[in-house]
Amino acid sequence: MSTAVLAMTAYHSTVVTNKPDPGTLGADAKAHHVKNWAGKTVKYQNTHPSFSPLNFKDLAIALWKRASGQQPWPTPKAEDKVVAVVPPTFLPTRTSSTKLRATWLGHACYYAEFPSGLRVLFDPVFEDHCAPVSYKDFKRFTEPPCDLSDLPYVDAVFISHSHYDHLSYPSVQKIQKHFPNVHFFVGLGLQKWFEAGGFKNVTELDWWDEAEITLTPQRAAKGDDDDTTKSGASSASLEPITAKVSCLPCQHGSGRGILDQNSTLWCSWAVSSGEPAKSVWFGGDTGYRTVKRLPEGVDDYGEEFRDLPTCPQFREIGERVGPFDLGLIPIGAYSPRFLFSCVHANPFDAVEIFRDTRCKSAMAIHWGTWVLTAEDVLEPPRLLREALRRRGLPETGAFDVCDIGESREF
């Protein structure tokens, strides 16, 4: 079959959702739902002892110290090039490789190319600022490696939650413009936000819900007839592409303003496609354990803290849905630890999440794009290598970092 036919064939997506049998999930399967007097879910919550809510008084003090210059804060700029950005390359057709291929596009955004032909995006945010206002402290210090319109195909987009560094209206709007058949997968409550913005193909899911997406080849675009005739094939002869989607737990929160805190669900995602199947677990944004204020320099993974509660949901993900060929796991935005540990994994947490979820390989996300917290911007990859050493894992080849724009195969 000619490359032209494969490149120009359009696909129409259909999605079928599957609610799990409540008996398989346990009595607390919906404990993360907070209901009002009428039994309607009005917000969501983290339910395990590993989560202790962020102290907003401490956060306000930390922000004041930052603004007043009392708290040291990294101030990299794009011209500093502290994190390398390289032009990405993408596969020329949907059937160009027998391996899973993943390209880091900055922060939490990854583009995954499955051998089945499926192409997906996770948490695309391409704006300069990860905030509702263009404030200098929220300006990205690494440029996007490409434009969203440079992507060859986008069949599905997965959104972990509503925070501005993970969900951008201009970015998803641009994706919709260039890929009109794209399907968006979101946590409970976010479908309304998308539909209010004019998006039609949206599916919202709860933790442990599953869906199957089928991409059916459609009539090729104008001018394809000559190519199909020459190749002896048509778009009708192409096989549908199918994928299994799982909406899964994580430990975080949501909100785009003061009044909508935790009103939509945060989640991680698993996507599996092909025969034999290749699978990706996208961690999105998550904490793993809550660490209280400690003297500076104290290692919170020391022996005296071994019994701190950790989030059991990651082990459950590994047991129920894993193993995964690739995990996309956050490693940054964790300092000061007593403020952010409940919602942001540091590299030591990330390695435990990697092990719990039974990922065969992993790539680091949630660093290298915006200065969100006080750690040095290059500290997360340094600590990741140390965390891997402590666990007796190789420093490269198991859980890696890469340049923005770089692709890896799995």
Side-chain angles (χ1 to χ4, degrees):
M1 187 174 297
S2 74
T3 297
V5 173
L6 289 169
M8 291 185 282
T9 299
Y11 284 77
H12 172 72
S13 66
T14 56
V15 173
V16 177
T17 59
N18 176 33
K19 301 286 185 180
D21 180 351
T24 66
L25 298 179
D28 63 347
K30 300 296 181 183
H32 57 292
H33 289 237
V34 179
K35 300 180 182 293
N36 64 10
W37 62 270
K40 178 182 177 182
T41 298
V42 292
K43 61 188 301 187
Y44 302 90
Q45 64 183 353
N46 297 289
T47 59
H48 296 285
S50 55
F51 178 81
S52 181
L54 188 148
N55 186 310
F56 282 97
K57 178 183 176 182
D58 286 342
L59 179 61
I61 292 172
L63 292 174
W64 177 79
K65 287 183 176 180
R66 173 185 178 181
S68 64
Q70 297 180 51
Q71 169 68 56
W73 204 263
T75 56
K77 298 179 176 60
E79 56 267 29
D80 296 335
K81 300 186 184 302
V82 293
V83 177
V85 181
V86 300
T89 59
F90 305 109
L91 296 174
T93 73
R94 290 183 182 268
T95 57
S96 296
S97 178
T98 58
K99 293 186 177 181
L100 171 68
R101 194 167 183 271
T103 304
W104 187 32
L105 300 181
H107 198 52
C109 183
Y110 249 91
Y111 181 66
E113 299 169 286
F114 287 79
S116 66
L118 180 73
R119 301 292 186 263
V120 306
L121 263 179
F122 298 98
D123 280 5
V125 179
F126 274 53
E127 276 56 62
D128 274 350
H129 296 79
C130 60
V133 294
S134 296
Y135 181 56
K136 63 180 179 65
D137 285 354
F138 297 112
K139 183 176 173 61
R140 65 192 303 151
F141 64 88
T142 49
E143 298 296 321
C146 64
D147 190 84
L148 284 166
S149 61
D150 296 330
L151 301 175
Y153 322 91
V154 179
D155 302 311
V157 175
F158 295 87
I159 303 296
S160 63
H161 65 298
S162 65
H163 288 158
Y164 281 89
D165 57 323
H166 295 260
L167 174 59
S168 158
Y169 180 72
S171 288
V172 293
Q173 193 177 43
K174 191 167 191 176
I175 292 166
Q176 177 76 65
K177 175 183 176 182
H178 287 279
F179 308 99
N181 292 329
V182 67
H183 202 99
F184 294 90
F185 289 88
V186 301
L188 289 181
L190 262 180
Q191 183 169 343
K192 184 166 67 174
W193 183 92
F194 273 83
E195 290 178 345
F199 299 88
K200 303 300 182 185
N201 301 327
V202 187
T203 296
E204 68 174 21
L205 299 173
D206 197 358
W207 290 348
W208 304 110
D209 286 354
E210 294 180 348
E212 182 173 286
I213 181 170
T214 302
L215 306 178
T216 306
Q218 301 296 292
R219 179 178 58 83
K222 183 179 179 181
D224 287 2
D225 291 342
D226 290 344
D227 293 312
T228 57
T229 301
K230 291 174 185 176
S231 68
S234 68
S235 61
S237 67
L238 298 176
E239 293 293 325
I241 299 169
T242 62
K244 177 185 174 182
V245 172
S246 300
C247 179
L248 299 167
C250 63
Q251 182 173 294
H252 200 60
S254 68
R256 294 177 76 78
I258 296 174
L259 300 179
D260 69 341
Q261 291 298 297
N262 296 344
S263 63
T264 61
L265 185 62
W266 49 97
C267 49
S268 63
W269 294 96
V271 184
S272 175
S273 181
E275 187 57 50
K278 289 287 187 178
S279 57
V280 175
W281 179 70
F282 173 64
D285 200 352
T286 185
Y288 184 64
R289 59 210 283 269
T290 297
V291 179
K292 299 301 184 182
R293 190 191 296 265
L294 297 173
E296 188 171 350
V298 173
D299 178 9
D300 61 67
Y301 266 92
E303 185 65 23
E304 64 269 39
F305 304 108
R306 62 179 299 175
D307 294 327
L308 279 183
T310 61
C311 183
Q313 294 171 311
F314 298 107
R315 188 174 297 276
E316 191 174 3
I317 288 169
E319 292 170 350
R320 288 180 175 272
V321 188
F324 305 100
D325 293 292
L326 173 63
L328 303 173
I329 302 177
I331 67 167
Y334 50 77
S335 179
R337 189 86 159 117
F338 75 92
L339 270 180
F340 297 110
S341 61
C342 59
V343 291
H344 285 163
N346 76 356
F348 296 93
D349 298 328
V351 169
E352 299 309 305
I353 293 171
F354 169 64
R355 298 173 72 247
D356 286 354
T357 52
R358 299 170 63 196
C359 293
K360 299 174 185 176
S361 298
M363 297 301 296
I365 62 171
H366 208 260
W367 75 282
T369 306
W370 289 285
V371 175
L372 300 177
T373 50
E375 75 271 6
D376 180 77
V377 296
L378 292 179
E379 183 180 276
R382 290 199 302 266
L383 290 187
L384 178 60
R385 291 191 292 272
E386 182 180 341
L388 289 166
R389 283 197 302 271
R390 287 193 188 182
R391 271 298 184 182
L393 296 168
E395 291 183 37
T396 60
F399 189 163
D400 284 343
V401 297
C402 68
D403 295 340
I404 295 175
E406 184 180 349
S407 300
R408 298 285 181 92
E409 291 187 336
F410 304 91

